[in-house]
Amino acid sequence: MLFSRDIGIDLGTSNTLITDKKGHIIIQEPSVVAVDVKSKRVLATGDEAKTMIGRTPGSIVAVRPIRDGVIADFDMTADMIHDFIYRSSKRNMFTKTRVVISVPADVTEVERRAVEDAARSAGAQEVELIEAPMAAALGAGLPVYEAAGSMIVDIGGGTCDIAVVSLGGIASSKSIKIGGDALDEAIVTYMKKNHNLLIGERTAEDIKIKLGSASAYDGEGAMEVRGRNLADGLPNSMEITSGEVREILFEPVNSIVNAVKETLEVTLPELAADIIDRGIYLTGGTGQLRGLRELLEMHTKIPVIIPDRPTECVALGTSVKLRRAR
């Protein structure tokens, strides 16, 4: 007799979360792999690998194998999933692994197959895919199987997935390749162009977390940023303010707001009425950017709700899917 081990995977651009069938988060680590260039051997994954970004010698490269929500490097993704699965629960020869794994709403057939193949290469015998916004809606506790419309906006590291769900399916959706990475890149580009200062992605992320916002907020401040002066190549530092960072992030944040409005515009009137009553649910790490909820409310005239554990909703949704499959 084969024992079945069921796990759900939120395979994110920035972080990967693994949950069991009961909804317990087992693994929550960065989607990063450190590899020896010469031997191609994986040296570390997750937290340990992320500490190596920008600090590795020439023989070691730390990379993120998921880009914009899809697999950019198949082998490294398979190795990363394999390591996470192994660490989440020791297998034995009598255990069958069944996996539910999230993918962006607009993923292509080729990209779907790549995710399935990566999971099978990592040791999964059964693989089922679920769209990230549907998983987020399940994880947020929305009544997705009822004849009523619910709207979810899930913003992660690589993508912003927006969907109106009803009767267990997606009635309308939109996915744009804007998330936490796009905000970080905007900060890096601005510092290079306007201050002649080269900074790394970890520094940009730190600026975003400490000062980033979509609208003005109480307690705005400033911080010192250190990097390399592009004129003379020497280390340099400067101060940046909350207001300056908000201006940097205006364009990508505005793209998210417009995508939400465009999705509402193509939603059936009956479902739109349900959304006005229920509100828009905002999940994902980047969805927690200061002032974004208020900005969306201002532009849509609809209440925006942040559920409990918003960064874990997609992973929790995969566990709900696991329970419903049996």
Side-chain angles (χ1 to χ4, degrees):
M1 175 182 174
L2 276 177
F3 293 99
S4 178
R5 181 181 53 150
D6 300 339
I7 59 174
I9 302 177
D10 172 10
L11 188 63
T13 302
S14 298
N15 296 288
T16 294
L17 284 75
I18 293 185
T19 179
D20 63 15
K21 198 173 181 179
K22 295 179 180 178
H24 300 133
I25 304 295
I26 309 165
I27 296 275
Q28 183 170 3
E29 295 194 22
S31 303
V32 181
V33 181
V35 182
D36 185 297
V37 175
K38 294 176 183 176
S39 66
K40 303 296 184 185
R41 186 169 62 91
V42 173
L43 303 176
T45 61
D47 288 323
E48 187 182 352
K50 185 171 182 178
T51 61
M52 300 180 181
I53 290 181
R55 295 191 173 100
T56 58
S59 60
I60 300 172
V61 59
V63 297
R64 294 167 61 184
I66 312 291
R67 286 288 175 184
D68 298 331
V70 296
I71 293 175
D73 188 304
F74 179 85
D75 291 334
M76 287 189 190
T77 301
D79 287 339
M80 182 180 73
I81 296 173
H82 181 274
D83 187 57
F84 285 156
I85 290 176
Y86 179 79
R87 283 198 276 139
S88 69
S89 174
K90 297 293 187 289
R91 278 183 6 187
N92 62 54
M93 63 185 292
F94 303 108
T95 302
K96 180 176 72 171
T97 302
R98 190 167 68 97
V99 170
V100 170
I101 190 164
S102 67
V103 292
D106 68 342
V107 70
T108 67
E109 195 57 42
V110 171
E111 290 164 347
R112 290 177 72 92
R113 183 55 59 87
V115 173
E116 287 181 5
D117 290 348
R120 292 186 192 282
S121 297
Q125 281 80 38
E126 290 183 28
V127 182
E128 183 178 354
L129 303 185
I130 181 172
E131 289 91 348
M134 176 60 79
L138 285 170
L142 297 179
V144 300
Y145 295 103
E146 294 180 10
S150 299
M151 188 173 198
I152 195 90
V153 179
D154 181 62
I155 316 172
T159 60
C160 169
D161 286 309
I162 306 154
V164 175
V165 296
S166 177
L167 290 171
I170 294 177
S172 58
S173 68
K174 189 174 184 68
S175 183
I176 58 173
K177 296 191 184 304
I178 292 178
D181 285 355
L183 303 189
D184 295 343
E185 287 166 14
I187 293 170
V188 171
T189 302
Y190 177 86
M191 297 302 290
K192 189 188 300 182
K193 185 178 177 181
N194 292 70
H195 295 290
N196 224 27
L197 192 72
L198 184 64
I199 62 171
E201 61 180 65
R202 294 191 68 186
T203 301
E205 184 181 27
D206 194 39
I207 294 169
K208 176 185 68 183
I209 292 168
K210 290 180 178 174
L211 300 179
S213 67
S215 56
Y217 64 95
D218 292 334
E220 292 194 3
M223 67 179 281
E224 184 184 34
V225 180
R226 294 170 181 168
R228 179 160 57 85
N229 190 305
L230 289 170
D232 56 21
L234 298 175
N236 193 16
S237 66
M238 58 152 291
E239 189 176 80
I240 190 168
T241 65
S242 301
E244 196 173 359
V245 176
R246 185 162 52 253
E247 287 181 23
I248 298 168
L249 303 183
F250 173 80
E251 193 172 323
V253 166
N254 196 46
S255 295
I256 291 171
V257 172
N258 287 337
V260 173
K261 290 166 67 178
E262 287 165 11
T263 307
L264 285 167
E265 287 167 6
V266 297
T267 299
L268 293 171
E270 291 81 2
L271 297 179
D274 293 334
I275 293 166
I276 292 170
D277 291 336
R278 296 174 183 273
I280 297 168
Y281 281 73
L282 184 60
T283 63
T286 308
Q288 310 319 301
L289 181 72
R290 290 181 196 87
L292 181 57
R293 179 172 68 87
E294 292 80 5
L295 190 68
L296 283 170
E297 286 182 337
M298 184 180 76
H299 282 277
T300 63
K301 305 295 189 291
I302 297 171
V304 175
I305 299 135
I306 297 177
D308 294 336
R309 302 165 72 183
T311 60
E312 299 174 5
C313 283
V314 173
L316 295 172
T318 62
S319 72
V320 174
K321 187 71 173 176
L322 282 167
R323 294 194 293 274
R324 286 187 63 90
R326 294 283 171 161

